[in-house]
Amino acid sequence: MAANPDLLSHLADIYEPELIIPWQPALGHWLLLGIVLLVLGILLWQGYRRWQAGRPRRAALAELKHINWQDPAAAATVNQLLKRLLQSYHPQHPLLNSSTQHWQQFLQSLLPAALPLPDLQALLYQPPNVTSEAARQQWQQASIYIINNFSVKTAANAKLQPKVATPLAEKNHA
């Protein structure tokens, strides 16, 4: 049989179909993936911010490890370290310039009842030979506890509460 030249002109090339990927995500899958990535990004950002907020506390802990507790000036050094820690979170906080009594009240409020704070007035301003070893050990334990548990919320809740004598209300009788 002879090929008819008319029929050959009507033939078209054969094209193979496109490669089909076995799993093509639908629009809902892309939206779900986007939401998961957004939540993951937010969690990472919050973790980074929390880590940044804890930087002064970590620096204070590192400095606390290098303090020689047998040194007579160790108590004053730790007191300055605690004030610098509060100042790093709140530079203009009134407790930074308050009396030793108010500072001690604030520090005692950060401690549990089982861990009393020694008298800071005696510990900081008396000669080292007068202060007892027990007071220095209490101050060491208290300062370690305070720095370990210090946070931005702790600094924000620190309020100066001066003890002001309130006059008694006069009774008016008719």
Side-chain angles (χ1 to χ4, degrees):
M1 253 198 204
N4 190 353
D6 295 347
L7 295 177
L8 287 177
S9 63
H10 294 293
L11 289 178
D13 290 339
I14 298 174
Y15 293 104
E16 292 185 19
E18 293 182 24
L19 180 63
I20 298 175
I21 298 173
W23 181 74
Q24 292 181 354
L27 179 62
H29 293 122
W30 285 111
L31 288 175
L32 185 62
L33 179 66
I35 291 171
V36 167
L37 289 176
L38 181 69
V39 168
L40 183 63
I42 290 171
L43 288 175
L44 286 173
W45 177 250
Q46 291 296 325
Y48 175 73
R49 287 182 59 203
R50 182 173 292 194
W51 181 77
Q52 286 289 88
R55 180 181 279 174
R57 187 184 62 81
R58 288 190 308 274
L61 281 173
E63 191 172 334
L64 191 66
K65 288 180 183 177
H66 296 293
I67 291 178
N68 179 13
W69 289 98
Q70 303 305 322
D71 184 21
T77 304
V78 172
N79 188 48
Q80 288 300 316
L81 179 64
L82 290 170
K83 286 197 175 193
R84 282 196 329 254
L85 183 60
L86 178 63
Q87 185 179 21
S88 67
Y89 289 111
H90 292 285
Q92 301 298 323
H93 201 281
L95 270 172
L96 296 171
N97 298 322
S98 68
S99 67
T100 307
Q101 181 183 10
H102 293 130
W103 179 243
Q104 181 161 357
Q105 288 173 358
F106 165 67
L107 293 177
Q108 186 63 54
S109 70
L110 301 177
L111 294 172
L115 186 61
L117 193 65
D119 182 26
L120 286 182
Q121 190 77 28
L123 190 65
L124 296 174
Y125 302 114
Q126 286 185 356
N129 56 1
V130 176
T131 59
S132 68
E133 184 65 29
R136 280 189 262 173
Q137 286 179 351
Q138 279 181 327
W139 178 237
Q140 179 183 5
Q141 291 172 350
S143 61
I144 290 170
Y145 181 87
I146 289 169
I147 293 175
N148 277 329
N149 297 311
F150 203 87
S151 66
V152 177
K153 290 180 182 178
T154 304
N157 293 335
K159 296 200 169 52
L160 181 61
Q161 299 172 351
K163 291 185 177 182
V164 178
T166 55
L168 297 174
E170 296 180 17
K171 296 181 181 179
N172 294 332
H173 295 286

